[in-house]
Amino acid sequence: MIIPLPDTTTRKISKKLVEAQEHYTLTTGRVLTLIVAANEGDDIEGILASVRDASHEHPSRVLVVIAGSGDKETHLDAELRVGGEAGASEIVVMHLHGDLAEQSESVVIPLLLPDTPLVAWWPTKCPANPAQSPIGKLAQRRITNVAYGDGASHEELMQLSRGYTPGDSDMSWAAITLWRGIVASALDRHPHEPVESVEICGAAESPAADFAAGWLVDALGVPVTRKTTAAPEPGAFPIHSLRFNRVSSHVTVDVVDVSTVRVQVPGSPDSLVSLSVRSQAEILSEDLRHLDSDKTYAHSLRALSRVDYS
């Protein structure tokens, strides 16, 4: 059910939330508050669909803040989504007009659930330093999406690294979790020779390949070269290939098609492993499972400065 609340206040929204809890929402407890920081022109319905799908694992109060309407008149338009429109969550979509667009934290504070973790998610454009942004200062977990649009340049990733604060994470990092498992298992096979260097290939603006390169530098302590390849076909995994250079037995992990990677280890038959690009909802669900600091992500970010971009 969608309940429109035009030209409203946070007091009125709070009252409607209480009424909705009595008549429309499930009895399942809310495990966290999720603030979604969006902008006018974003695919709001697509973002809400991802939140709704993720809510089945993480029932939440979701506050979607949409700023930047360009209106001169300061006012708040909102709508409350409950029941089938919100999955296992309750969703408040708020359009901030006029000067209110610069005061998003003041709007969400009265609507926060007490005694629950607070997560901030930027599904599109994100601030250069998420932890120092008005919304980021409220949250213990902050999820960015630097791959949005044209992706992220090396300098933008380095800026993300310099501004890292415990609790930060990025969707491109969570997107390669399964791939990292495949890579780790490939090195467990015989013969167990030490890795001397690594080559990893991905599109120029693909932060997934950069995060993976930083992870490998930190984990292995060997030279890692990040090479650029053409943009992948739609739906293909963003990291095209990986090669572990060893004394006599090189190991490769490369993309075969949109749903398969091939692992080649000398002395063993090639292995074809199913690996599809994960949906935004799947990635969001994974990020919401871990509300503590991701130390591996932090180490990978800090190791970016040691990656060879020749």
Side-chain angles (χ1 to χ4, degrees), residues 7 28 52 72-73 94 125 167 264 269 280 292 295:
D7 197 9
T28 306
R52 184 172 59 246
K72 293 183 179 181
E73 182 183 353
M94 295 175 285
K125 297 177 182 178
Q264 295 178 301
Q280 183 169 252
D292 53 340
K295 294 182 179 179

Side-chain angles (χ1 to χ4, degrees), residues 137-215:
K137 288 180 179 179
L138 300 175
Q140 68 184 69
R141 181 75 166 180
R142 295 162 296 276
I143 306 168
T144 55
N145 184 19
V146 294
Y148 172 74
D150 296 329
S153 66
H154 177 63
E155 178 51 38
E156 288 171 326
L157 292 175
M158 293 305 299
Q159 188 175 36
L160 197 66
S161 176
R162 290 189 294 268
Y164 173 81
T165 300
D168 290 355
S169 187
D170 190 82
M171 300 191 78
S172 291
W173 171 251
I176 64 173
T177 298
L178 301 179
W179 178 87
R180 290 193 295 125
I182 294 170
V183 169
S185 65
L187 285 180
D188 283 340
R189 302 187 190 184
H190 183 80
H192 302 290
E193 294 182 326
V195 175
E196 296 186 327
S197 63
V198 180
E199 297 174 10
I200 184 168
C201 299
E205 304 297 319
S206 169
D210 296 279
F211 291 147
W215 170 61

Side-chain angles (χ1 to χ4, degrees), residues 177-292:
T177 298
L178 301 179
W179 178 87
R180 290 193 295 125
I182 294 170
V183 169
S185 65
L187 285 180
D188 283 340
R189 302 187 190 184
H190 183 80
H192 302 290
E193 294 182 326
V195 175
E196 296 186 327
S197 63
V198 180
E199 297 174 10
I200 184 168
C201 299
E205 304 297 319
S206 169
D210 296 279
F211 291 147
W215 170 61
L216 292 167
V217 167
D218 178 71
L220 300 176
V222 299
V224 174
T225 302
R226 159 73 156 97
K227 295 188 174 181
T228 299
T229 53
E233 60 180 297
F237 197 72
I239 302 174
H240 298 167
S241 64
L242 171 70
R243 176 184 169 101
F244 291 111
N245 296 315
R246 305 194 295 191
V247 174
S248 62
S249 55
H250 308 309
V251 178
T252 62
V253 180
D254 61 314
V255 172
V256 176
D257 54 40
V258 294
S259 61
T260 312
V261 296
R262 176 176 54 226
V263 180
Q264 295 178 301
V265 181
S268 301
D270 292 356
S271 298
L272 296 178
V273 184
S274 176
L275 182 67
S276 301
V277 174
R278 305 170 78 188
S279 70
Q280 183 169 252
E282 290 173 321
I283 296 172
L284 179 61
S285 289
E286 177 175 326
D287 269 319
L288 294 178
R289 289 184 202 124
H290 311 287
L291 298 181
D292 53 340

